[in-house]
């Protein structure tokens, strides 16, 4: 089903915001103003925005680790100020400054994060099971192509299809996992071929096209809510930069070719979306300028909030009190 | 709490399930072949509670555990049964890394009310993997409570406490206690987690033991009665560990033997000994002895009776510290 | 490629022997003369015999746990006397009486067993990797339909197809795992559908037909040795009895129907094979009688060997000395 | 053993790899992104040894581990690198259940020469999962040896010993030692597994520490020198544990503090304390103190410096037992 203009405008708005947040995070890690690591989403921010913008309030959302989920956070409307505060170890962090990089917005059904790639293939089964029991909610579980190497992915897909759980397996396939290329990791051109093993419907979509992604996920969500079970949505995307800021950008042991990376840049999702909203008269240039201006201001507010928050250094006793409920 | 009858331990566990599943609609059970039943603790539950609450899964421990783990975030109180407790290792990553840290690392916003259960223990001659004692593997990691009952009474009370606890609780039970009969009150009662019990008073030596080994401890105490007066402390929970009750007993006896059906290395026995030689140093009149499985994979065949802790080994250790 | 008469005779011989060994194990567990448990293969002994009889000496073989691998042991020619001695805790046991039920014939490339269903999906990758490096050897890895629920199965199939490893994933699909039925465990009619996710060739074969199984595995082995990678072979079989001797025979929580079980009995692989070898004049009735007689005697010898062997009860010190090399 | 230069620990590890891979064609490395390199220990190896021996795998720890586990049965000597050691938990079942028992339960016919390696440790502010100290999880299970180097010299020598050992050996290294420089002989030498070393002589107290904590122990010993004479014992291997060297040191000092960057619960610190209060009871003049991570998931953020063992905590414990 085609998107309406309002929907397209919202997607565009979210895409610009997500892109600004990603760049903010990149700048901060390079300036030493972010804890741990940052996995830039540069050039690949459309998939998360498209997948998450039209979810329902009760839907469970698991963001992808790339761009530290910025596209998804924007789509869901979680408090990025609190996430940045977390990522800088501040008391207003969404995890009390304990996690370095996790998100946790349980009241918004974004249940937490992990540094173990593919960790979510375990709880997603329960998220799906509970959603089916309750009805009127589903799960959007995002992750990368690499994560589908994990055996847990198989168990999740098997259970989901067996029990017809309302889950969208949303894969951002950027053809890379650190230095490994798609060919190193999977024998088939499409990672979503895996779905065939379970008779699960699979859709491949251009992950650079925020509108196409949104349409695909809306359809898969409808399918899920109708009790028809899971869908595998593979969003083909790309990785413009190194895996995480500071790691050399290699394919196996060789630097990735400049020419190849240059070609990838031509598929920038913001440029593509801007062309489309102008062409289809969804937004005027003036409105777009306004959106950019607002995004800049939002980033500044978020940074201010995090920077103003005091460093979290609770006592051992306070920490101990947090282990058990 | 009303009438008290004698029940086998496995039925005491089942009674806790029934009571709590009747009382609280959010309690569910997840496992493999629990509807048909592998051990009698789940027998007949599916008839009463249906397949929406007694959830059989494919042969896949991560997916099975995930059903519970994810459901707990969504307001359910799952009991997830690994059949043989050692199979938990197939889901060690989500349990020991994710579940254990989940609440804390996410700012203590959420709680995960879950029970992780499974049977284990030497005696059935099934070898290392089926017998594998996993309580100390889980107890090594903060964020999951661990208990193991010694008696039917404790089994029911600890299980009720475990289901109601807002945290993940591993309830590990020993196959060698499955059919042990003992008094079990009919109604509702809890045995608190994290609280040890002096199960037998004595004055010469403190003997710590739980699960199947509690029976061996009683046998040894009986045998030595008149000669050596043995006080038996049942830790019941091993994480959190109630070291205070052990120290209080030591104030009286000044001698300590710990039985732990587990590899010795980095066991609860070692942990108790370590804590005692720190905070209870002045209470000790003799070396602290541990009676454990020596650090070898638990053999099947005909070797369990002498490789696992047994009355002879316990008696020797008790006599040793009482010389 | 059709089997020759000599090959058919050998398969028939092995099938009868395997069937006798299975019945011996069943009798012994009921008489309390076997340690641990026994998972009867009754009515389903053809698949293992067919899969293993024509492997090469250097091929690595992983028997299925059902019938405690009797069909495979016979096919490979491992010492069943030593296996029975192990299963009775004797000093001549193939694991020194330490394991209750494991096999271990490393010199014959039967590398050990485990009570964790699906454990072999982990080392099979290395068996396949090493086989490819060395050339002229492959891996026959047997297991049940239930075992394919394990995430490790996915990792094994993914690696095998990615690296084109010489592995046959041989699945004895009896439609059961303890009390769970095929429908409870897998969303598709064939478990080998899983192979599609990797673009792996898959073959479904009648597991009651020892000759058909052998032909299929011979072809898959050739494919593997030619460097063409893995094959999924699904042998459709059945389970006549309870999962393990003494456990009630349920489907979920209900007893399995007598009528249904009666129908299964009609597919007895020994009956089917006997008819065929007689029809095709591979063997005469007299030769068959001879084979039965020899099988009975072989079972008696094996039992005698195990029963004569002393109980293994080494000292703790001896056991400790066995932990590290 | 010839020339000695200063090398960072991570290059000492790499030198061991190169030496042994040149000498023994059966040695291979398996891991994720080891060809490109995540930590510098594998950098450049693929150029020298090719992709048949430096084997990158998909993102799947069971398959990755399985490549090594199965190859070891087929005559290879694999080194399997988990990148961050905590990721071993994704393969906990094949490691802790299968590998650990494999030789023993199959009648000690086979040996599995493998090295399981990975980096961990507090200090990089990555949180519980990346920092996770896993040495005690593996050491709890008999059948796998475990070591952790404190110095570049030990790193090279232990790695050479580990690769050559016929058993599975977990070689866990601490990220906080990665760039530490120290003398490393150029040629071939081994640091034996299972043997502790008195790294600094002293007479008042025995301080046991390894990995990153060895540096903290030295800092504390330096600071207290003149006041309290600290003897530092580096266990180097934690399984098997060389308790004899610790007991010998105690004969001199009669006081013991153990630093173990690990949760306290069922740690090597607790194990040492337990063994000492059993077989070394008469040697003790004071309580045995453990300096560990308190039993909370290791937080990231700005909390590692005071949650993990640190010089202040070590000094306090040393002063405490020397009162
Ligand atoms: C269990 C586990 N194994 C390995 C890693 C190291 N690691 C971090 S990100 C990553 C690649 C992830 O690839 P993919 O899922 O495709 O996401 P992408 O980074 O490409 O967006 C790897 C291997 C990890 N964090 N966890
Ligand atoms: C990891 C693990 N989970 C569960 C079990 C319990 N179990 C033993 S056999 C079995 C069923 C196996 O089914 P399948 O692979 O189809 O083989 P079959 O017994 O049908 O021949 C199960 C669930 C186990 N032994 N190991
Ligand atoms: Mg990727
Ligand atoms: Mg089956």
């Amino acid at each position: 089903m085609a998107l309406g203009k309002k929907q397209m405008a919202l997607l565009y708005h979210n895409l610009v915001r997500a892109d600004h947040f990603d760049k903010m995070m990149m700048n901060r890690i390079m300036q030493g103003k972010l804890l741990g690591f940052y996995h830039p989403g540069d050039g690949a921010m459309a998939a998360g925005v498209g997948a998450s913008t039209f979810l329902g309030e009760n839907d469970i959302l698991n963001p992808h680790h790339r761009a530290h989920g910025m596209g998804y956070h924007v789509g869901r409307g979680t408090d990025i100020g609190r996430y940045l505060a977390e990522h800088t170890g501040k008391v207003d962090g969404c995890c009390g400054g304990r996690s370095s990089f996790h998100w946790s917005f349980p009241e918004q059904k974004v249940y937490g994060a992990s540094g173990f790639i593919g960790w979510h293939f375990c709880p997603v089964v329960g998220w799906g099971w509970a959603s089916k029991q309750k009805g009127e909610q589903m799960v959007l579980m995002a992750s990368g192509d690499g994560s589908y190497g994990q055996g847990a992915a198989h168990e999740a897909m098997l259970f989901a299809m067996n029990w017809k759980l309302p889950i969208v397996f949303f894969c951002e396939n950027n053809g890379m996992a650190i230095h490994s290329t798609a060919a190193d990791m999977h024998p088939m051109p499409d990672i979503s071929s895996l779905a065939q093993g379970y008779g699960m419907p699979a859709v491949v979509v251009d992950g650079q096209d925020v509108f196409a992604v949104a349409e695909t996920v809306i359809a898969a969500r409808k399918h899920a809510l109708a009790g028809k079970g899971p869908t595998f949505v593979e969003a083909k995307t790309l990785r413009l930069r190194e895996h995480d800021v500071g790691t050399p950008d290699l394919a196996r042991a060789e630097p990735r070719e400049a020419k190849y990376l240059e070609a990838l840049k031509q598929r920038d999702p913001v440029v593509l979306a801007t062309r489309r909203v102008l062409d289809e008269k969804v937004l005027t240039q003036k409105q777009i300028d306004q959106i950019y201006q607002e995004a800049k201001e939002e980033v500044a507010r978020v940074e201010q909030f995090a920077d103003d928050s005091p460093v979290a250094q609770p006592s051992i006793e306070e920490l101990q009190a947090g282990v058990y409920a | 709490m009303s009438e008290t009858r004698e029940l086998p331990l496995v039925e005491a566990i089942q009674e806790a399930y029934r009571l709590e599943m009747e009382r609280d609609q959010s309690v569910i059970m997840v496992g493999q072949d629990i509807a048909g039943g592998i051990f009698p603790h789940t027998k007949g539950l599916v008839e009463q509670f249906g397949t929406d609450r007694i959830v059989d899964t494919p042969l896949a421990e991560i997916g099975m555990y995930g059903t519970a783990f994810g459901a707990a975030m969504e307001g359910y109180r799952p009991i997830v049964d690994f059949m043989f407790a050692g199979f938990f290792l197939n889901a060690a990553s989500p349990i020991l890394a994710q579940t254990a840290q989940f609440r804390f690392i996410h700012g203590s916003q959420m709680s995960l009310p879950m029970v992780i259960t499974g049977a284990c223990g030497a005696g059935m001659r099934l070898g290392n993997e089926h017998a594998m004692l996993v309580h100390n593997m889980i107890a090594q990691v903060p964020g999951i409570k661990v208990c193991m009952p010694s008696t039917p009474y404790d089994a029911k009370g600890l299980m009720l406490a475990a289901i109601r606890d807002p945290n993940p609780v591993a309830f590990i039970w020993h196959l060698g206690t499955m059919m042990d009969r003992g008094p079990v009150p009919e109604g509702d009662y809890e045995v608190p987690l994290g609280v040890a019990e002096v199960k037998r008073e004595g004055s010469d030596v403190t003997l710590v033991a739980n699960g199947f080994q509690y029976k061996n401890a009683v046998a040894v105490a009986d045998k030595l009665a008149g000669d050596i007066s043995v006080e038996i402390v049942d830790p019941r929970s091993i994480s959190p560990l109630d070291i205070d009750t052990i120290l209080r007993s030591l104030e009286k006896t000044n001698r300590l033997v710990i039985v732990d059906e587990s590899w010795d290395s980095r066991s609860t026995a070692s942990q108790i000994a370590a804590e005692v030689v720190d905070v209870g140093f002045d209470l000790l009149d003799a070396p602290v002895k541990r009676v454990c499985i020596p650090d070898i994979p638990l053999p099947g065949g005909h070797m369990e009776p002498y490789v696992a802790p047994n009355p002879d080994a316990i008696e020797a250790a008790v006599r040793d510290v009482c010389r």
Side-chain angles (χ1 to χ4, degrees), chain A, chain B:
Chain A
M1 214 185 53
L3 296 166
K5 289 203 172 179
K6 247 171 129 172
Q7 286 174 304
M8 286 179 71
L10 177 55
L11 282 170
Y12 183 78
H13 194 160
N14 280 350
L15 178 59
V16 171
R17 292 169 64 211
D19 195 55
H20 275 73
F21 282 126
D22 173 58
K23 297 208 161 76
M24 175 268 283
M25 296 290 272
M26 262 193 302
N27 289 336
R28 286 188 72 110
I29 195 96
M30 289 186 291
Q31 295 161 4
K33 297 199 306 195
L34 206 63
L35 292 179
F37 34 42
Y38 186 67
H39 304 81
D42 194 18
M45 296 304 292
V49 171
S52 60
T53 294
F54 298 115
L55 294 177
E57 265 195 353
N58 291 328
D59 294 342
I60 297 165
L61 171 63
N62 182 76
H64 183 22
H65 75 260
R66 181 131 317 268
H68 293 206
M70 279 303 166
Y72 302 86
H73 291 302
V74 165
R76 173 55 56 117
T78 52
D79 186 336
I80 296 178
R82 287 185 58 216
Y83 183 53
L84 181 59
E86 184 61 29
H87 224 310
T88 47
K90 303 305 191 67
V91 296
D92 293 304
C94 56
C95 303
R98 290 176 189 165
S99 78
S100 288
F101 62 90
H102 293 222
W103 49 78
S104 173
F105 298 98
E107 64 294 342
Q108 288 169 285
K109 299 208 165 195
V110 177
Y111 283 130
S114 161
F116 278 34
I117 296 293
W119 77 282
H120 42 75
F121 286 115
C122 179
V124 73
V125 181
W127 298 339
W129 182 88
S131 295
K132 186 175 177 184
Q133 290 287 320
K134 296 181 180 180
E136 303 187 2
Q137 67 176 63
M138 50 76 74
V139 187
L140 189 292
M141 194 215 66
S143 62
D145 49 327
S147 77
Y148 280 84
Q150 296 291 356
H154 164 60
E155 302 192 23
M157 291 187 284
L158 180 72
F159 279 54
M161 199 58 203
N162 241 15
W163 291 345
K164 292 257 187 300
L165 301 181
I167 299 174
V168 174
F169 291 92
F170 184 77
C171 177
E172 291 197 23
N173 186 352
N174 63 4
M176 296 294 296
I178 309 188
H179 307 144
S180 302
T181 68
D184 302 326
M185 292 185 291
H186 200 259
M188 306 286 276
D190 295 333
I191 197 94
S192 53
S193 304
L194 290 172
Q196 292 176 23
Y198 316 95
M200 189 193 298
V203 196
V204 176
V205 61
D206 178 2
Q208 302 307 91
D209 180 346
V210 69
F211 309 112
V213 171
E215 280 170 8
T216 306
V217 170
I218 287 169
R221 176 172 185 267
K222 216 172 129 185
H223 182 87
L225 291 179
K228 295 182 185 163
T231 303
F232 195 121
V233 176
E234 172 173 3
K236 300 271 193 196
T237 182
L238 48 83
R239 206 185 80 199
L240 271 191
R241 298 175 179 263
E242 66 268 42
H243 170 70
D244 70 313
V245 177
T247 296
D249 191 4
L250 310 176
R252 302 173 197 173
E254 300 297 326
R256 291 203 294 166
E257 274 185 48
K259 224 167 70 189
Y260 168 73
L261 295 175
E262 208 44 56
L264 293 186
K265 278 195 195 140
Q266 304 317 308
R267 308 265 312 131
D268 184 280
V270 186
V271 173
L272 295 175
T274 306
R275 202 174 302 150
R276 177 121 177 246
V277 292
L278 283 171
D279 281 0
E280 298 189 9
K281 300 209 181 345
V282 171
L283 294 168
T284 63
Q285 185 59 48
K286 210 176 129 193
Q287 285 172 311
I288 290 176
D289 293 344
Q290 172 82 9
I291 285 171
Y292 269 73
Q293 184 55 34
E294 280 173 22
K296 221 174 277 171
E297 287 165 15
E298 190 181 3
V299 165
R301 274 197 310 278
V302 157
E303 291 202 71
Q304 191 72 49
F305 173 81
D307 291 338
D308 286 350
S309 178
V311 166
Q313 291 192 310
S315 70
I316 298 279
E317 291 66 35
E318 285 170 300
L319 291 173
Q320 277 170 325
V323 177
Y324 296 103
Chain B
M1 194 180 322
S2 54
E3 287 284 301
T4 292
R5 315 121 305 158
E6 299 247 314
L7 281 186
L9 183 133
V10 73
E11 285 180 29
I13 294 177
Q14 175 168 128
E15 199 161 89
Y17 293 156
R18 278 195 204 273
L19 256 174
E20 199 56 10
M21 290 188 80
E22 283 165 6
R23 205 186 62 85
D24 180 349
Q25 296 300 311
S26 69
V27 179
I28 60 169
M29 279 200 77
V30 181
Q32 288 164 32
D33 310 294
I34 52 175
I38 298 298
F39 304 119
H41 64 139
T42 64
K43 216 149 234 156
L45 291 178
V46 75
E47 283 80 356
Q48 183 174 355
F49 300 106
T51 51
D52 278 356
R53 295 184 67 195
I54 306 294
V55 183
D56 265 354
T57 80
L59 210 180
E61 280 75 19
I62 295 179
M64 175 184 106
Y65 183 72
T67 309
F69 182 29
M73 295 181 208
E74 276 282 307
Y76 290 87
R77 300 183 91 89
I79 301 159
V80 52
D81 180 18
F82 278 90
M83 191 181 310
F84 287 92
F87 301 163
F88 107 91
L89 279 172
N90 278 8
S93 186
I95 297 178
L96 301 183
Q98 303 310 326
T99 306
Q101 72 167 15
F102 210 80
R103 173 180 172 76
F104 176 86
I105 217 78
H106 293 117
S108 302
Q109 300 180 68
M110 275 174 285
S111 62
L112 289 178
M114 305 173 60
V115 178
I116 300 164
T117 188
C120 59
M124 292 186 67
R125 307 194 296 197
L126 295 174
N128 193 49
E129 295 156 310
H130 286 84
M132 195 181 285
L133 282 298
V134 305
H135 54 290
N136 288 327
M137 293 186 185
I138 303 176
Q140 210 172 36
V141 170
I144 304 180
K145 300 183 178 181
V146 184
C147 66
M148 188 195 264
S150 307
T151 65
Y153 178 94
D154 286 353
K156 178 173 170 182
L158 283 170
M159 183 54 91
L160 279 169
I163 302 174
R164 291 170 187 170
D165 199 275
N167 299 289
V169 180
F171 178 103
I172 307 297
W173 56 281
H174 194 295
L175 286 160
T177 64
M178 182 159 76
M179 290 305 166
D180 288 352
R181 297 181 75 87
V184 178
E186 271 186 6
D188 189 342
Y189 67 98
E190 290 182 33
V191 170
L193 298 172
V195 180
E197 185 183 46
V198 178
K199 280 222 160 67
R200 178 187 184 121
E201 306 252 349
S203 51
D204 293 332
V205 57
T206 300
L207 182 57
V208 177
N210 69 348
F212 180 79
Q213 296 304 327
Y214 170 69
K215 288 194 281 190
N216 284 341
V218 170
V220 169
D222 282 346
K223 180 172 173 196
L224 296 181
D227 183 3
I228 299 172
S229 165
V230 177
E231 171 142 320
I232 302 181
V233 178
D234 178 354
R236 298 194 294 202
S237 290
I238 61 160
S239 178
L241 185 64
D242 176 6
I243 195 71
D244 293 339
T245 296
I246 295 169
L247 289 171
R248 262 197 309 277
S249 174
L250 265 181
E251 278 171 19
K252 189 161 61 168
T253 65
N254 306 113
R255 284 170 161 77
L256 179 60
V257 172
I258 311 144
V259 192
D260 187 8
E261 189 174 315
S262 163
W263 293 307
D264 171 53
S265 212
R266 295 151 185 91
S267 60
T268 295
S270 296
Q271 186 62 23
I272 292 172
E275 294 191 25
V276 164
V277 70
D278 179 3
V279 296
F281 184 69
D282 296 333
L283 300 176
L284 288 175
D285 283 349
V288 176
K289 292 278 168 202
R290 309 180 307 284
V291 184
C292 299
I293 302 171
D295 287 337
I296 55 179
L298 197 61
H302 296 282
M303 304 170 197
E304 280 172 332
Y306 60 97
V307 172
N310 54 68
D312 289 348
I314 298 169
E315 180 182 342
V318 168
R319 289 196 182 277
D320 202 354
V321 301
C322 292
R323 264 187 318 201

